[in-house]
Amino acid sequence: MSERSSRLKGFYELPPAQRQEVLAAWAGLDAEDRRALDGGLDLAAADRLVENAVGLYTLPFAIAPNFIVNGAELLLPLVIEEPSVVAAMANAARLARAGGGFQTGSTEPVMIGQVQLLDVPDPAAAAASILAAKEALLAQVETLHPTIRRLGGGPRDLVVRRLDDTPAGPMLIVHLLLDTRDAMGANAVNTAVEALAPALEALSGGRALLRILSNLSDERRAWAGCRIPAAAFAGPEDTGEAVASGICVANAFAVADPYRAATHNKGIFNGIDAVALATGQDWRAIEAGAHAYAARSGQYRSLTEWSLDGDTLVGRLELPLAVGTVGGMTKHHPTARLALKVLGNPDARRLAEIMAAAGLAQNLAALRALAAEGIQAGHMALHARRDQK
Ligand code: MEV
């Protein structure tokens, strides 16, 4: 466990330059790291990243203090434009400290790639042939990614799915499960499914059309939980028990109603996307996967669970989180590298777990405010602060 405490009382009251000093001392930032706080990317780098770049577009980079994740004290780097999100997360993380912070976990970082096979004469026989050749097919993928393999990753399984009734007729879908270790893995997966397609065509007698990763990366999930004494929620007008029970009832609304679940989950992504942006992740991929996961029962629902265990509020968030700490933007964007350094240079699983904690913290803050004084009291105060500046 770290010696440093992330409980930075009064951090929010400091002018930004002094906050930079505190952060630099806390995270051991050097002069180059500190330059990255000015935006990081230059036009030449932007020109290498995308086509037709003509400029740069910057957003606030903030720090949410107070986090404890699996016993480690953490400052969370957040890139976000919406007032009140950073304050809300700092507040929720402070409340969670009363129960030891957030406990997290994750699966192995296994991504899914899909091959769509059309005009398969006998789908049942094709599925059997593909599964019979599984070992040889996986061995073919092993050779494609020597670095991933050296780091302990590699192909894990092949799954065949029949889609007998689509608007374009029946099709056979093959999933490749590939452990991409600390890479988000989109390129590795896409290379692998493109390489496998000819063999799958030969085995099935069909023709391959799409060969691409699935963003519903439900084999690569992270979760976070917290247990907080209800007394920690006591406010000027409410008992802690009333607020904690209100949080559970608010969550039940989002479990049962997609209109509420969309707003509820949006709040979760206030936290997750802010860490994703700060650390250079593909946040569209994360959102696509998580929203599809939220609808896995056939109805779109809350991603969180909140319940009372005696006088303790218990929360949990679990979702697919395909994130990387090598390659991509983490290589090209100095501020993303800085954000990872502030987080202690986590591996991809640890980063996903921290993001799950960020999502749960944001949800806790939103539900607490909604169930107590209402969202506008805090939110509008922070809007007012911004507008006066
Ligand atoms: C606002 O950005 C997010 C909230 O609407 C989330 C929620 O309602 O749970 C406050």
Side-chain angles (χ1 to χ4, degrees), residues 82 85 260 263-264 266-267 270 362-363 366-367 370 375 379:
E82 183 174 331
V85 168
R260 174 57 204 153
T263 322
H264 179 102
K266 187 273 181 185
N270 281 344
Q362 179 57 37
N363 181 244
L367 298 191
L370 287 163
I375 205 73
H379 201 63

Side-chain angles (χ1 to χ4, degrees), residues 239-283:
T239 64
E241 289 69 22
V243 176
S245 130
I247 289 170
C248 300
V249 176
N251 195 77
F253 183 10
V255 170
D257 178 25
Y259 286 91
R260 174 57 204 153
T263 322
H264 179 102
N265 290 344
K266 187 273 181 185
I268 292 170
F269 284 100
N270 281 344
I272 291 179
D273 285 354
V275 181
L277 275 164
T279 57
Q281 307 302 319
D282 180 346
W283 72 95

